[in-house]
Amino acid sequence: MRVTRLLLLVVGAAATAYGCWLLLPQLGTALPWLIGGPVLHDVLVAPLVGLVGLALGRLVTNRLRLAWIAAGLAASATLLLIAVPLLWRPPSAPPNPGLPDRDYPLGLAVGLAVLWAAIVVVLVVATTLDRRTDRQ
Amino acid sequence: MIRRPRVPVPEDFTAPSHSPLVTARLGLWLAVAFGLCFGTGLLSHYIQHPPGWFTWPTRPVNLYRITQGVHVLSGVAAVPLLLAKLWSVYPRLFVRPPVRQPIRLSAHALERISVLVLVCAAFFELVTGLFNVAQSYPWGFFFPTAHYAVAWLVVGALLLHVAVKLPVARAALSTPLRRSGAAPAATPGPDDRDSSERRAFLRTSAGVAGIAVLATAGVTVPWLRRVSPLAWRSASGPQGVPINRTAAAAHISVPPDWRLEIVWAGGRNSLSLADLAALPQRTAELPIACVEGWSASAHWTGVPVVQLLRWAGAPTGRPVRVTSLETDGLYAASTLPAAHSRDPLTLLALRINGEELSPDHGYPCRLIAPSRPGVLQTKWVARLEVLR
Ligand code: HEM
């Protein structure tokens, strides 16, 4: 394990140094986009996720329901994040007559609706099964 | 109970998802996702900037379509996995540095810096990649070189991270998630609840990654075209195939006396469009596979480049430089490696799906070769030069 770790360390340091060297000419313009990710995540996204989690835990006491709602929120948030570049085109983007080539807001809305409909169906089925086993 | 607000410590976070059992598994999945991104990205880089030792096969004709599809889709899958991983280790942001022990403090600082580089670089790759596929560039750097440089940062910092965490990761990965020992049906204690929540967290992360892939895979998987709401390209476009650069954007005007020039060491030849159309034609189904991960197949009809060179009396089996009527722009020319220039499926196409090429598809003729990125399928071809 020592050898493996040492090897990883050496190769990792070399690759990092190579990346730094490649990036050097553009470091100034890239820096805000490099730092932006962890800053936004650590001071905004993660605390928000924590607060939503705490609130959800208070509001929903059934564990199965809680798990499925949390999963639905995670999937919705991911889809929204992936959709950002499709929904928001800053004016600096070059014009491309081929883009946008479909109605992304509509597609996203339909996708989210399908997702939540599926979760509602799962929960209704699970609750009915639970009740049945309770009654037996 | 009223507490004064203070900066949290790791022990304040009690959710089971913060366990190293979860962290290490998410880490492994992320390593697979980023590893696929890096491998396929490196291939794409080498295809466009081939070092001397590099060769890329022409078969299967869909090879580049597959590698680049894997590249963008594993990047999409990494979005929820990265967020899940960072949530899992969020408490560790609040670990207090060992200020009184200089040696441990410097080791701690070095580790923190390498993790910062890793997280910066990982976010950078995913965010810039997603904006690039939407052809949106709200930044000052040149995307391909920056994305390539930061890829090395991700891989380097990832290897450093694994070197540091290997003991914890190994211990965690060899500990089963499901508590064994007691029979599964035993009365659930608090430990079982934790372990089931850990498994639920991992299942959700994997499931969301799957949904994200499904929501975008239509860019390249034909039967998902109508399913994926966030596919950044559909298969539609002029003559049934999307385009990135229009003739107007490239400032193309085809001169009325257009002739294709063929040049080689010791000779030259030229053909009019009518001459080209009079040569034996071949039709092939080949994909346009963009570096942005979208792809679409079409039936192209034209003259195989190797036949054309033979007809002109030029040597074959050598690299060929293909130059466009376009005068500016990064993609005004490309070089066909020898393997591609001698492949009978590499066409100088005059027709797409049975119709004459429209100006946006490269009228009067364009290059279409198997297993190549779309940016190298030069349009509005004016000249072929056989290299040595
Ligand atoms: C892009 C990929 C990755 C990112 C962005 C990432 C990020 C992080 C971060 C920010 C931490 C907290 C650092 C700290 O302990 O202070 C961490 C911890 C950790 N990571 Fe990763 N990681 C990645 C890949 C991996 C891989 C491939 C593995 C190995 C399987 C791994 C295993 C671990 C382990 C075991 C910990 C410590 C958990 C603990 O001690 O509680 N990570 N990671």
Side-chain angles (χ1 to χ4, degrees):
Chain A
M1 186 131 99
R2 271 187 87 103
V3 180
T4 315
R5 292 181 74 190
L6 217 64
L7 209 69
L8 287 170
L9 212 69
V10 171
V11 178
T16 311
Y18 181 57
C20 283
W21 178 75
L22 284 176
L23 189 63
L24 216 53
Q26 306 202 79
L27 194 59
T29 40
L31 206 57
W33 287 81
L34 279 164
I35 294 292
V39 168
L40 272 181
H41 174 268
D42 289 352
V43 306
L44 206 69
V45 175
L48 206 68
V49 169
L51 287 179
V52 170
L54 281 179
L56 208 63
R58 296 262 160 92
L59 290 175
V60 185
T61 45
N62 178 301
R63 280 184 60 207
L64 184 77
R65 213 170 289 166
L66 181 63
W68 277 96
I69 292 176
L73 288 176
S76 308
T78 300
L79 292 181
L80 280 172
L81 282 178
I82 293 173
V84 166
L86 299 173
L87 302 178
W88 171 69
R89 287 178 74 76
S92 65
N96 182 311
L99 280 174
D101 84 345
R102 61 172 74 180
D103 192 344
Y104 301 116
L106 180 70
L108 182 64
V110 172
L112 290 177
V114 170
L115 175 76
W116 285 101
I119 289 175
V120 167
V121 169
V122 167
L123 286 180
V124 167
V125 170
T127 317
T128 328
L129 287 182
D130 265 4
R131 283 222 188 99
R132 260 199 220 143
T133 38
D134 282 355
R135 237 181 272 149
Q136 277 167 5
Chain B
M1 186 176 65
I2 295 171
R3 274 186 297 181
R4 256 189 300 147
R6 58 172 174 83
V7 177
V9 291
E11 291 72 32
D12 292 339
F13 297 84
T14 53
S17 51
H18 299 307
S19 150
L21 294 181
V22 174
T23 308
R25 283 169 176 83
L26 286 169
L28 203 61
W29 301 349
L30 262 179
V32 171
F34 273 99
L36 285 172
C37 277
F38 186 70
T40 52
L42 206 58
L43 279 178
S44 183
H45 178 82
Y46 285 153
I47 294 169
Q48 293 175 70
H49 311 276
W53 50 266
F54 182 79
T55 54
W56 180 245
T58 62
R59 294 291 145 67
V61 297
N62 279 320
L63 190 57
Y64 182 75
R65 174 187 209 167
I66 292 167
T67 62
Q68 201 58 12
V70 167
H71 182 77
V72 293
L73 293 179
S74 53
V76 164
V79 172
L81 295 180
L82 178 64
L83 292 172
K85 164 98 197 206
L86 292 182
W87 175 247
S88 169
V89 295
Y90 190 56
R92 301 194 56 81
L93 185 64
F94 303 102
V95 170
R96 302 295 193 263
V99 272
R100 282 170 210 287
Q101 296 144 292
I103 295 180
R104 283 190 51 212
L105 182 64
S106 38
H108 177 89
L110 276 179
E111 191 206 326
R112 278 284 165 119
I113 291 170
S114 77
V115 166
L116 179 67
V117 171
L118 175 59
V119 179
C120 284
F123 270 121
F124 183 93
E125 290 299 84
L126 300 184
V127 170
T128 56
L130 282 172
F131 271 95
N132 171 62
V133 297
Q135 300 212 341
S136 178
Y137 305 94
W139 47 63
F141 47 86
F142 181 53
F143 169 77
T145 49
H147 195 71
Y148 176 66
V150 178
W152 283 98
L153 285 185
V154 174
V155 167
L158 189 57
L159 294 178
L160 290 177
H161 180 60
V162 175
V164 170
K165 299 294 184 192
L166 199 58
V168 189
R170 273 195 19 176
L173 290 175
S174 54
T175 308
L177 283 172
R178 202 184 283 276
R179 302 228 167 219
S180 51
T187 45
D191 283 345
D192 295 299
R193 181 164 174 161
D194 277 4
S195 96
S196 95
E197 282 194 19
R198 280 185 214 121
R199 278 179 281 126
F201 187 83
L202 285 171
R203 255 198 323 266
T204 303
S205 308
V208 172
I211 289 176
V213 168
L214 204 63
T216 49
V219 287
T220 185
V221 183
W223 53 272
L224 283 175
R225 294 235 195 262
R226 302 180 59 86
V227 178
S228 302
L230 299 179
W232 41 93
R233 275 294 169 111
S234 56
S236 63
Q239 302 182 307
V241 175
I243 45 136
N244 262 4
R245 196 161 165 78
T246 58
H251 306 295
I252 299 297
S253 64
V254 182
D257 59 344
W258 176 91
R259 288 179 80 81
L260 175 73
E261 266 197 276
I262 303 176
V263 184
W264 63 95
R268 59 172 55 230
N269 209 330
S270 78
L271 300 86
S272 68
L273 188 54
D275 298 338
L276 265 179
L279 289 175
Q281 307 283 307
R282 173 164 190 170
T283 297
E285 186 182 358
L286 293 171
I288 289 281
C290 186
V291 282
E292 289 146 20
W294 62 261
S295 60
S297 272
H299 289 92
W300 306 89
T301 305
V303 187
V305 167
V306 63
Q307 301 290 355
L308 187 59
L309 294 179
R310 271 197 205 119
W311 175 88
T316 56
R318 300 198 187 158
V320 174
R321 181 100 181 135
V322 183
T323 313
S324 169
L325 286 171
E326 195 177 354
T327 46
D328 56 343
L330 285 165
Y331 305 112
S334 71
T335 300
L336 273 176
H340 284 77
S341 79
R342 72 168 152 255
D343 189 301
L345 281 186
T346 297
L347 305 180
L348 209 55
L350 309 178
R351 305 177 75 79
I352 174 174
N353 291 332
E355 296 170 30
E356 181 174 77
L357 287 177
S358 71
D360 288 344
H361 275 302
Y363 175 88
C365 67
R366 77 166 302 165
L367 180 66
I368 181 84
S371 182
R372 275 197 118 202
V375 288
L376 301 182
Q377 311 276 32
T378 306
K379 299 198 275 195
W380 313 294
V381 172
R383 181 183 149 102
L384 303 180
E385 181 186 353
V386 182
L387 305 177
R388 291 171 182 277

